[in-house]
Structure formats: C-alpha cells, structure tokens
Amino acid sequence: MHSEHQGESNATPRSQTGFWGWLNRRTGLDDLLRTALYEPIPGGARFAYIFGSGLLFIFLSQIITGVFLALYYVPSADHAHTTVAYITKAVTGGSFLRSLHAYGASAMVIVLLLHLSQTYIYGAYKGRRELLWLSGCVLFGLVMAMAFTGYLLPWDKTAYFATAVGTNAVSEIPRIGESIKRLLRGGTEMGTLTISRFFVAHVFLIPACIFALVASHLLLFRKAGAAGPVGPGDLKQKAELFYPRQVLMDLSLTALLIIGLGLLCFFVPIQLGPPANPADAQYIPRPEWYYLPIFQWLKYWHGSAAIVGVLVIPTLLLLAVLALPFLDRGVERRPWKRPAAMGAYAFVVFSLIGLGLRSQYLDRHDSGVAEQLAKQRAEEDEYARKPFEPELSSASLVAANVTLADPLAAKGKTIFEGQSCNACHGDSGVGTAAAPPLVGIKAKFSPDQLAERFKHPTAKMNAGGMPPIDLPPDDLKALIAYVESLK
C-alpha cells in the first residue's frame, strides 16, 4: 500500500507529458488557462456579465468574414460595386457571408451598447476602474468608426449618398471641417481615393487599434477585478470561479448570436442596390439605424447655429462621458440610490430613441419623401433579382467596337479620333483616368442631348479639359452615331 501511494505521488502530471506537455513547457498555457478560467467572481456567476464575451465573439466573427470578403473585393470606384455584386450573386454562399458581416456590425453595436449600459447602471466604473472605463469608451468610438467606413465599400447608391451626407456633416466643424472632409474623401469629390482610404481604415488601421484596445481592456479588467454585485447583501454571497458556470452563461449568448444571425442571414439577406450614380439628384439618403438619431439631430442646426449642434453640444457630452469615473467618486453603486445618474442615462437613451423614431415618422408622413424612398426600395429589389453581369475589360470593349457596320458611325469614329477625343476617353470610348467611359451613353442621353453637350459642355466637363465641339451638322450627326454605337 505504501509503495502504491508513493508511486501515485511521484507520477508525472498528464499536463506535463506528450505533445501538450511539450507545448506547455514552452508557452505556459496551463498558467494562462488557470488565470483565465479560475478567476473568482464576487457574488457568483450572473447573466449580467455575458456581454463582454459576446463582443469578443462578434469581433472575431467580423474579422473572419471580412477576410473572406476581401479575397474578392477591389477598392476602386470602377470595380467595387461589381466585385460586391459578384460576391452576392455568383459566389457560393457569398450572400450569406456578406449578410453575416453586415448584420454582425449591427449586432456588435447592440451588444456594445448593452455592455456599456450594464457598466453604467451597475456603477462598475467606480473604484480604480477609470482607465477601464476610458478604454471601453474609446472602443465604442472605434466600433462606430468601423461601421461608418465599412458602409461605403459596396459603392451602391445607398452607401454613396449616406457617406456623402456623413462627410458633409464633418465640414460643419469650424476652421478644420473642410480639411477633415477633404482628408476623408481624398479630394473635394468622392471617388476611388475615398474608397481606398475607407478600405485601408476599415481593414487595417481601425482593426489594429481595436486589437490593441481589447488587449489593454482585458489587462485592465484583470488588474481591477470584477466589480461584483451592487447590493451590500449580495457581497455576502460566496465568490464563484469563472469556470464552469460563467463560461456556460457566456457560451449561451454566443449560441444565441450564432443562431439568430444565421437565421436572419438565411431568410432576410442584405441586399445590394444599384451602383453609385452621383448624378442622381433625386436620391434621398438614409443612414443605418445606429446613425439615424445623429442624422435627425443635424437637421435642427443650420447656419451659424450649426457650431452649437455639431461641435459644442456633442463635445460637452463626450467629455462628460469620459470624465464620469472622475466626477462620480461616491461608493454607492445601487441604481435606485443614484437618481441623478439614472436620470441622465434615461434622458440620453430616450432622446436618441426619440430622434430615430422622429426621423422615421417624418419620412412616412411626407408624401414626396415616402414616395421616393419606396421607389428606391423598388429599385434595390429589382437590381437584387437581376443575375450577375460581369464587366468587360478594356481590351474586350475595344474589340467589341472595332468593326462598325454603319457607315455613318464609321465616319464618326474618324471624327472622334480626329478631334483627339480618344486622348481622354480612351480608344473606343472605354474611359481613362482623365475622363469617364462613353460606353452605353446611348441609354443616358438622347441624340439632341448629346449634341447639346458637345456644343456646350457643362462646367464639370470644362474643368476636365473638354472644349466645345463645333462641327458641321453632318459631321456632328456622324459623331453622335459613333458614340451611340459604343457597347
């Protein structure tokens, strides 16, 4: 008996043998898992503590789905919409993948709002948790920036005009607003540089900052420890380790998110609208739901008062939120014992909800706006039902326009080249960096409209270097015939 017990005591722990033992001796995984799983939770495991793990899961899901989408995506004004259409309509499971990424952005905002609300209501920012609260607020700003930069990338009408409104709102900031707007857009107008900058921010810069902040947030949380329950009586309850009950509670939210997002993506996939068309002056932009209150708020501030609504009030509110742990130094954490804090929270929350509902109410009760929005939704539905149409390369377009059976169009081609139109618009009108393509222009302009544009170019055409074309009527007719023949 003595020898048996001695043999058991001298036995090598299983974690120190085999591959796991080899890996553990080099990485210290056992110590890491013990630190992560066996943290004591004051008052025991609770469903109120599940939101942090849910956020981490959604963020990892966004990274994974974003990587797969990036395999197909081309960040340019010429190809962005086509590549997203290819993902949505041609790639197996592409629509589901894109919907998972889009709905994941909304889910992340919702869970983050719940997490911040739970932290505020339970007073978990009190004590030595100032840096923990500040890092959480910065993470919230980064998540909203991720949502904003990702919204433009499909380059459909909805994304284009909503982002145009957002960047125009930035220009209302005195002195530096216009500079920030040009920095975001890469110029005065939105185009390939805008997509490129938003893509780099969305895929590289902001995620890198989020990774760094998440790591810092977790380290600060471990240093400060769990805040625990709010009531003095609850603190008498025995502390409980993070594993297994709290792990199971966190996994329950993860399972709920997987099932909910999966069903939503399968039955209500995200639609892609028609490609961006800056010339569509009738289009009415509307942002995503989480930016709708801000969109409605900006409507109330115009002219000299804009500085108050766009800069002063938001800045004061932001500073108050960031300074909260330094302003509220009391030890009381029970919500019902903090009427001022709860009143401020309720005022902000209900104001945001009210602004969002007000925006939707005004849209429904303005006949002109409601009719246009319904028309836009119908256009999106119609485009979504169309099969994918791949864009032709420049070489294919040139080949398609080499042979002209119409003598009048053949004559027009000679005039087109004689007027050096191909120097800017490219051979066979396929377009260059200096001027847009003329392919398919017949569907946009009538012969009379084309003649008017040739004779009297618009200010934008003049700025691009196009002079008026003064030709005899027969030559002008031939030039129009050639331009209309481009396919």
Side-chain angles (χ1 to χ4, degrees), residues 77 152 155 160-161 163-164 167-168 178 181-195 197-198 278-279 460 463:
L152 172 70
W155 200 245
Y160 177 89
F161 286 104
T163 307
T167 51
N168 282 331
E178 281 295 333
K181 175 183 171 181
R182 286 195 298 271
L183 177 65
L184 290 173
R185 291 187 172 187
T188 56
E189 302 296 331
M190 291 174 54
T192 295
L193 282 179
T194 315
I195 298 179
R197 294 185 179 202
F198 275 55
K460 187 175 182 180

Side-chain angles (χ1 to χ4, degrees), residues 222-246:
R222 291 291 178 180
K223 178 66 176 178
V230 297
D234 296 331
L235 290 175
K236 298 178 181 179
Q237 298 180 18
K238 185 179 179 181
E240 187 175 356
L241 297 181
F242 184 75
Y243 176 84
R245 288 187 68 230
Q246 190 62 51

Side-chain angles (χ1 to χ4, degrees), residues 363-384:
D363 285 346
R364 287 195 302 268
H365 290 79
D366 186 320
S367 58
V369 172
E371 181 180 352
Q372 177 61 26
L373 291 176
K375 179 182 177 182
Q376 291 170 190
R377 286 191 293 269
E379 288 179 353
E380 290 181 3
D381 293 338
E382 181 182 359
Y383 180 81

Side-chain angles (χ1 to χ4, degrees), residues 143-166:
V143 169
M144 297 303 291
M146 278 284 286
F148 180 70
T149 52
Y151 196 65
L152 172 70
L153 300 184
W155 200 245
D156 59 359
K157 285 186 178 182
T158 303
Y160 177 89
F161 286 104
T163 307
V165 171

Side-chain angles (χ1 to χ4, degrees), residues 30 66 71 89 137 174 180-181 269:
D30 273 356
L71 294 176
K89 299 182 178 185
C137 291
I180 296 175
K181 175 183 171 181

Side-chain angles (χ1 to χ4, degrees), residues 283-306:
Y283 195 88
I284 299 179
R286 288 295 179 268
E288 277 291 300
W289 64 269
Y290 38 79
Y291 278 117
L292 201 57
I294 300 175
F295 174 77
Q296 181 63 26
W297 169 261
L298 294 175
K299 292 181 181 179
Y300 300 125
W301 306 93
H302 304 283
S304 58

Side-chain angles (χ1 to χ4, degrees), residues 392-462:
L392 296 175
S393 65
S394 297
S396 300
L397 290 170
V398 171
N401 292 301
V402 168
T403 303
L404 296 172
D406 184 2
L408 187 62
K411 177 183 177 182
K413 181 180 180 180
T414 303
I415 297 172
F416 181 84
E417 295 172 351
Q419 292 286 327
S420 299
C421 299
N422 57 334
C424 292
H425 291 282
D427 293 332
S428 297
V430 297
T432 67
L438 300 176
V439 176
I441 201 170
K442 182 180 181 180
K444 300 178 181 179
F445 300 101
S446 66
D448 290 340
Q449 289 175 322
L450 287 174
E452 179 63 22
R453 290 293 179 94
F454 289 155
K455 294 178 181 178
H456 306 288
T458 63
K460 187 175 182 180
M461 294 165 69
N462 282 326

